[in-house]
Amino acid sequence: MGDKAHAHPGAAGRATAADQPSSVRNVVLVGHSGSGKTTLIEALALTAGAVNRAGRVEDGATVSDYDEIEHRQQRSVQLSLVPVGWEGFKINLLDTPGYADFVGELRAGLRAADAALFVVSAAQEADAIASTTRAVWEECAAVGMPRAIVVTHLETARTGYEELTAVCAELFGRDDPDAVLPLYLPRYGAPGPDGHAPVTGLAGLLSRKVFDYSSGERKEIPPDPEEAPSIEEARNRLIEGIIAESEDETLMERYLAGEEIDPGTLIDDLEKAVARGVFHPVLAAAPAGDGARQGLGTVELLELITGGFPTPLEPRCPPVTTPEGVPRPPVRCDPDGPLVAEVVKTASDPYVGRISLVRVFSGTLRPDETVHVSGHGLADRGHEDHDVDERVGALSAPFGKHQRPLNRAIAGDLACVAKLSRAETGDTLSAKDDPLLMAAWTMPDPLLPLAVRAHSKADEDKLSQGLARLVAEDPTMRLEQNRATRQVVLWCLGEAHADVALERLRGRYGVQVDIVPHRVSLRETFGERAGGRGRHVKQSGGHGQYAVCEIEVEPLPPGSGVEFVDEVVGGSVPRQFIPSVEKGVRAQAARGVVAGYPLVDVRITLRDGKAHSVDSSDAAFQTAGALALREAAAQCPIHLLEPVAEVRVLVPDAYVGQVMSDLSGRRGRVVGTEQSAGSRTVVRAEVPEIEIGRYAVDLRSLSHGTGRFSRAYARHEPMPPQVAERVREQTANAP
């Protein structure tokens, strides 16, 4: 790395279909919001010759032409693919959102990639970087992703490069800080009027070569003697870090004996250590200035990607089974093998229709062939499982909003597939005569409820289809049709996630919705034993209606439901009408007796009644049973029961006190704490669900983005009287 001379590749930078898996590199860019991931991709595309100096190709496409919402919000909200060509390699660059609400897009990018560039901005304070990036790094570490770190925004740095590399070593190399070291040191020019010194070049630590970018092109220049001591100090530490991870056990002995290790050997060991995910080099990068053809550090990054990052031939395909769950042998990255591909992203185009971004793990995908769609185990989120055959439409490589045709996509490559009308994110594509299913990746649970209703009758007709398409694109959303509250609820990861969902409903699917307060599933129960008499007598000519029944209601332990007991003696209520009384009281219990919430945990005993030989009927006794239950409810206190959730909150130790205090303020009961890895604590509590509707947002604010939580229904329990009274008033005043 750093020893090659590179010509500007021009049109060669436009990636087409890959010839063999070894020539493909799939790289995901991850990092906090505002770190400069998209700008870095544009700089890499310029250096690779995929775009001109204006950031465009002949057809006018630009790298950043993705989504109108992204342009309006000035941030990435979805996974995007930019393929470029570099010295015979096809590099698929995957741009991911840095905002926590779109972590599902990040995990899709991790699934599709073989390595990650972790982008850190020097324009942020070191403390801010520490609070926002650790969780993203762990997302990569969890899947064993080889990683390198790229420092951006050095031209407006608040944190110096040396200080920032030390922060990265502390954050990301806790087990081995010497596994996170810089490969290059930036060179600075004279400070400008604002006091910032521009970065004009890079000094390669292994090669001892210095490259100047001040002219807009990468040129080797003689080293400055004044820089030699700092370069040698950093170089020695880098060499020791590389040798410590080397598979050649004699290398350390030779180095300690004073032998000068050949740079080629060091580079080879470095690349192997990076590919194994045990060494994480730090590099610097900046976009090209006006008129420049190469951004600072972009050649060095492309060298690392092609030389140090693993090929798709590395065995990392998830386990594969038949759709029935029968295990199959591990899949190899072989273009001639059985077809196994996965939909990692689903989007809709107003002109083309549904477009699926697909990673091919085995075999070769071709246009117009019929494949089997299997998947994907997310029925609880509103995504139906699939087991159908579909015809593949055109294959293409995206460039912003534009699509360039491909004649095939081989194992290890990524491509966009048109017109897969049934396939959704997470589904597996395989041969129609040999259906297969890949193990699904873990998706975060959406914990912010958004209750919606159609704005008008016209919107009501389109709402169901619009929501179905929305969740088909984004498996981190969950669509709930809550029968208890009669609400349509879209569960999201946060406010930004919800805003994007609503904007897509309006702009992409033409559906206007109103946001309504989210209601939890409350219930009612009797506070004490009570009796009631239901009398339904009407006579208006012809057959009348006559039914009288007397019941007794008593509370039962939580979870008992509604129990009906017949203790009528003497035939006062004819046997054929006993089921009618039960049907009536159960129907009334389902409707509620005070505030309109289902009645639970009671035993209803039918004691007595009266009937008429002519006028009694099934309908009359149903009505009498309902009247008796309502009268019994009027004779005693009725308790409102609210759902209580078991909540587990994972936060750094510094925030434990604030979290526990906040949970107590939500009427929660902290039941325990547990130490977790990385100086973090799990706080376990039981909290009424009505108090944690916005906890996904509030916890993020409280913990500065570092906290996570999960929730699970525990039980219903009585609501405090003052809270119950407020809920009754809100229910009475609801439209």
Side-chain angles (χ1 to χ4, degrees), residues 311-629:
T311 74
L313 294 170
E314 301 291 333
R316 62 173 301 270
C317 182
V320 174
T321 67
T322 67
E324 295 76 26
V326 179
R328 295 291 295 270
V331 170
R332 296 175 56 250
C333 183
D334 180 2
D336 297 322
L339 177 63
V340 180
E342 186 172 38
V343 179
V344 295
K345 173 69 181 174
T346 308
S348 295
D349 185 278
Y351 304 104
V352 181
R354 183 176 291 185
I355 298 177
S356 303
L357 176 60
V358 172
R359 162 77 190 249
V360 183
F361 287 92
S362 172
T364 300
L365 187 64
R366 294 181 174 83
D368 299 322
E369 70 175 335
T370 300
V371 299
H372 189 81
V373 178
S374 305
H376 41 53
L378 294 174
D380 61 323
R381 299 193 181 187
H383 305 261
E384 63 179 79
D385 287 347
H386 297 136
D387 191 14
V388 297
D389 290 339
E390 279 208 86
R391 190 177 183 84
V392 173
L395 300 184
S396 60
F399 198 88
K401 291 182 179 179
H402 294 245
Q403 302 287 334
R404 294 174 177 150
L406 296 176
N407 58 5
R408 70 189 185 285
I410 65 169
D413 203 0
L414 292 163
C416 289
V417 182
K419 298 181 180 179
L420 287 177
S421 59
R422 296 292 299 279
E424 298 181 5
T425 301
D427 282 354
T428 303
L429 309 182
S430 55
K432 64 177 183 178
D433 55 350
D434 186 20
L436 298 172
L437 178 64
M438 297 179 67
W441 70 81
T442 303
M443 283 293 177
D445 291 326
L447 297 169
L448 181 68
L450 187 70
V452 299
R453 67 183 177 198
H455 180 71
S456 66
K457 177 62 178 175
D459 295 310
E460 190 173 326
D461 296 337
K462 298 183 291 184
L463 179 61
S464 178
Q465 185 179 24
L467 289 173
R469 290 181 176 178
L470 196 65
V471 297
E473 295 180 14
D474 188 351
T476 63
M477 290 183 181
R478 177 163 61 89
L479 183 61
E480 176 190 9
Q481 304 278 353
N482 194 313
R483 295 182 180 179
T485 62
R486 296 183 290 278
Q487 284 189 321
V488 177
V489 183
L490 192 63
W491 289 83
C492 305
L493 295 176
E495 286 184 314
H497 195 207
D499 290 343
V500 168
L502 294 176
E503 194 159 349
R504 284 179 176 159
L505 272 179
R506 289 190 295 266
R508 188 174 293 175
Y509 304 119
V511 182
Q512 293 283 347
V513 297
D514 296 326
I515 307 303
V516 297
H518 175 248
R519 298 197 297 266
V520 300
S521 301
L522 302 180
R523 297 172 185 172
E524 301 173 352
T525 193
F526 275 54
E528 58 187 42
R529 186 188 299 266
R533 186 173 188 267
R535 185 176 184 275
H536 181 63
V537 178
K538 287 188 178 180
Q539 186 67 49
S540 57
H543 279 297
Q545 299 181 46
Y546 187 96
V548 178
C549 63
E550 296 180 5
I551 64 171
E552 184 178 75
V553 185
E554 57 184 311
L556 293 177
S560 300
V562 176
E563 181 180 331
F564 181 82
V565 178
D566 168 28
E567 291 192 358
V568 174
V569 295
S572 56
V573 177
R575 305 312 302 170
Q576 69 268 29
F577 295 132
I578 301 295
S580 304
V581 177
E582 180 178 2
K583 188 175 181 180
V585 297
R586 288 190 179 277
Q588 185 63 55
R591 294 191 295 268
V593 292
V594 173
Y597 300 108
L599 179 70
V600 296
D601 301 336
V602 292
R603 177 183 292 121
I604 302 170
T605 303
L606 178 60
R607 298 291 188 187
D608 200 358
K610 295 181 180 180
H612 189 277
S613 59
V614 175
D615 293 338
S616 291
S617 65
D618 170 66
F621 271 99
Q622 285 190 46
T623 303
L627 291 172
L629 184 59

Side-chain angles (χ1 to χ4, degrees), residues 653-694:
D653 293 343
Y655 298 107
V656 171
Q658 295 97 308
V659 167
M660 293 175 68
S661 177
D662 178 73
L663 291 173
S664 297
R666 298 171 185 270
R667 298 190 286 121
R669 296 184 296 272
V670 176
V671 297
T673 59
E674 303 169 5
Q675 283 301 120
S676 185
S679 299
R680 293 180 297 177
T681 298
V682 176
V683 180
R684 294 181 291 109
E686 295 180 345
V687 191
E689 289 189 7
I690 201 170
E691 302 287 350
I692 55 173
R694 289 181 51 81

Side-chain angles (χ1 to χ4, degrees), residues 94-112:
L94 291 152
D95 189 9
T96 63
Y99 198 65
D101 280 13
F102 307 104
V103 67
E105 303 287 330
L106 167 64
R107 291 187 179 176
L110 295 178
R111 181 73 158 209

